[in-house]
Amino acid sequence: MPFSANIQRLQPSATIAVSTLAKRLASEGRDIINLSAGEPDFDTPAFIVDAAVEGIRSGETRYTPSAGLPGLRKAIAAFLSERSGREMDPDGVVVTAGAKQALFNACFSLFGPGDEVMIAAPYWTSYPELVTIARAEPVEVFGSEERGFKLTPEDLDAAFTERTRGLILNTPCNPTGAVYSVDELTAVAEWARDRGVWLISDEIYQNIYHLDDRTAAPGLLDVPAGSLGDWVLVDGASKSYAMTGWRLGFSYSSTEVAGQLTALQSHITSNTTTPTQIAGIAAYGNREAARASIANMVAAFRRRRNLVTSRMDELLPEIPYTTPEGAFYLFFRVDGLFEGDVQSATAWCSHLLNEVGVALVPGAAFGDDRWVRMSYAASDDVLEEALKRMASMIRGS
Ligand code: PMP
Ligand code: GLU
């Protein structure tokens, strides 16, 4: 029986598929190190968990407005105001079931048949699929490898057509770890403004930033307001607050766009769960506790990033990688290792999983199957062991 045209080209999430396979092999007794899915290995901070438990006990278990509890929208707007130094409107916030739903809402509401949507590549695996679900055409645009693949107006001009309606950008980037500077972001934002292209900026890793002493990576809210055309900011609690399973994300946009996104959501999930929203009021409202928890987690990510890059330099100096400036991924290039039947990163990752039990995600999931992504959201011991196993397979010892 044929399925509808809506999903004819749909592929399941590759990151989730690898992680599911790794978990299955581990449950069958295989000794597997799973560095595939990007998921903090920390528990959700206690002040957030306690708020949710208290909320459930006191009867916070009913539907909420689709755009989210007013208290949560206010807390998120205050958090964004603190970041940007300008007043952000709670009515521009739409609370979603994870950043994934915020991206779905935006893609489905802004794009449709005949539209092209540029995707900064290498990209997080779900962007092209979300554009495809909206029946628009995803167009991958790669910046140069030397610049960590970051896009310039020239790269964008080369891919621009009359049908271009949107651009999806992710900084800090999953999978490359690259971070746009304010100037680089401003140049891209002005390009989108001048071409009448929607700019969707996914900043879910903004707190996991390694370059300098700022507590967050530069983002759209650091771009001068006059440089922005039409834009939607996407963020969420999964990564910054170790809340992947709670499903808490949000978008920020003009109130007119927020109204449309809310109308769509009101027919789909209605709202993310109420206990999760109560947890969100603590996460975004209690800034002092949030800052302390985030600082602890980021310190660990930074240490692991240094560990992984220094071990790569020591054990496998011939393998190029992009130095992670944010997020928690190492993106490295394996085409120099291709031989025999192994002629793609997909085949290389299968070989690695079968031979030494290390699960990584092949670059096919991100637009270039010469590369591989390792999540370093794991303990130091686990990372050391994974790198040792990888080096032993590559050296054939
Ligand atoms: N954007 C990026 C770049 C991601 O890596 C992820 C990973 N889950 C998401 C969005 C979605 O996050 P969530 O739905 O858990 O908020
Ligand atoms: N975003 C994470 C990743 O890239 C989690 C899995 C997913 O949602 O894709 O691995």
Side-chain angles (χ1 to χ4, degrees):
M1 192 183 46
F3 289 105
S4 82
N6 297 338
I7 57 159
Q8 247 160 31
R9 289 187 293 160
L10 186 70
Q11 297 294 323
S13 164
T15 44
I16 292 180
V18 178
S19 159
T20 305
L21 171 65
K23 284 178 186 160
R24 181 167 64 73
L25 293 174
S27 75
E28 289 167 3
R30 287 270 318 268
D31 172 18
I32 301 292
I33 300 183
N34 185 3
L35 303 179
S36 58
E39 173 158 38
D41 54 327
F42 304 107
D43 290 332
T44 303
F47 77 98
I48 299 175
V49 174
D50 292 346
V53 170
E54 173 66 20
I56 294 170
R57 289 201 194 287
S58 61
E60 299 277 9
T61 51
R62 299 203 157 82
Y63 291 135
T64 72
S66 278
L69 285 167
L72 177 54
R73 295 174 81 196
K74 244 169 103 178
I76 291 172
F79 155 77
L80 296 175
S81 302
E82 182 189 290
R83 271 213 69 202
S84 64
R86 55 182 193 261
E87 204 54 39
M88 308 303 285
D89 184 349
D91 289 342
V93 176
V94 179
V95 178
T96 54
K100 214 175 246 184
Q101 189 182 18
L103 289 158
F104 169 79
N105 288 348
C107 289
F108 206 75
S109 303
L110 302 176
F111 313 127
D115 295 338
E116 288 180 356
V117 181
M118 293 177 168
I119 298 179
Y123 48 76
W124 176 49
T125 198
S126 289
Y127 299 144
E129 302 296 337
L130 290 168
V131 168
T132 303
I133 292 170
R135 300 230 227 154
E137 198 64 48
V139 176
E140 302 171 0
V141 190
F142 285 85
S144 82
E145 193 175 324
E146 294 69 47
R147 276 197 317 275
F149 298 101
K150 285 186 281 186
L151 295 176
T152 62
E154 293 70 41
D155 298 323
L156 292 164
D157 267 334
F160 180 76
T161 75
E162 275 178 5
R163 296 201 291 138
T164 307
R165 285 269 292 153
L167 165 63
I168 305 181
L169 208 67
N170 175 215
T171 179
C173 174
N174 171 8
T176 64
V179 174
Y180 282 73
S181 68
V182 177
D183 287 348
E184 288 165 340
L185 265 180
T186 303
V188 170
E190 288 178 349
W191 178 90
R193 178 200 61 191
D194 295 346
R195 302 290 183 290
V197 165
W198 281 99
L199 178 57
I200 300 181
S201 184
D202 178 350
E203 301 179 8
I204 194 167
Y205 295 98
Q206 58 149 304
N207 288 116
I208 305 164
Y209 176 58
H210 309 304
L211 268 192
D212 53 40
D213 286 337
R214 290 173 55 124
T215 49
L220 271 200
L221 300 182
D222 299 301
V223 169
S227 298
L228 294 166
D230 290 322
W231 54 282
V232 178
L233 173 67
V234 172
D235 197 348
S238 286
K239 318 291 172 173
S240 297
Y241 300 90
M243 289 180 73
T244 46
W246 295 73
R247 312 310 300 133
L248 179 60
F250 67 87
S251 57
Y252 186 87
S253 61
S254 70
T255 52
E256 187 197 351
V257 172
Q260 286 300 320
L261 304 180
T262 306
L264 174 65
Q265 177 161 297
S266 73
H267 295 294
I268 301 174
T269 54
S270 294
N271 52 266
T272 195
T273 71
T274 308
T276 286
Q277 295 190 54
I278 298 292
I281 293 177
Y284 288 102
N286 187 345
R287 296 310 309 149
E288 207 177 313
R291 266 193 285 272
S293 306
I294 291 171
N296 272 336
M297 291 191 263
V298 171
F301 285 134
R302 212 173 272 194
R303 193 185 63 242
R304 293 159 177 186
R305 168 224 194 219
N306 294 342
L307 172 89
V308 166
T309 51
S310 62
R311 284 289 179 279
M312 284 292 282
D313 295 344
E314 235 169 74
L315 298 172
L316 298 164
E318 74 279 22
I319 298 192
Y321 61 82
T322 55
T323 301
E325 301 169 338
F328 41 65
Y329 305 105
L330 184 78
F331 199 50
F332 58 94
R333 199 171 154 169
V334 294
D335 52 332
L337 304 171
F338 291 169
E339 57 179 359
D341 288 346
V342 176
Q343 293 299 332
S344 66
T346 301
W348 190 84
C349 286
S350 297
H351 192 53
L352 186 76
L353 184 58
N354 287 330
E355 292 293 310
V356 294
V358 176
L360 306 179
V361 184
F366 313 110
D368 188 336
D369 210 21
R370 295 171 303 168
W371 294 75
V372 170
R373 187 192 79 175
M374 170 188 287
S375 162
Y376 56 83
S379 72
D380 297 18
D381 290 350
V382 166
L383 293 171
E384 288 269 13
E385 175 63 18
L387 285 158
K388 258 196 238 151
R389 289 188 193 186
M390 202 167 89
S392 77
M393 184 189 90
I394 291 169
R395 300 271 171 264
S397 56

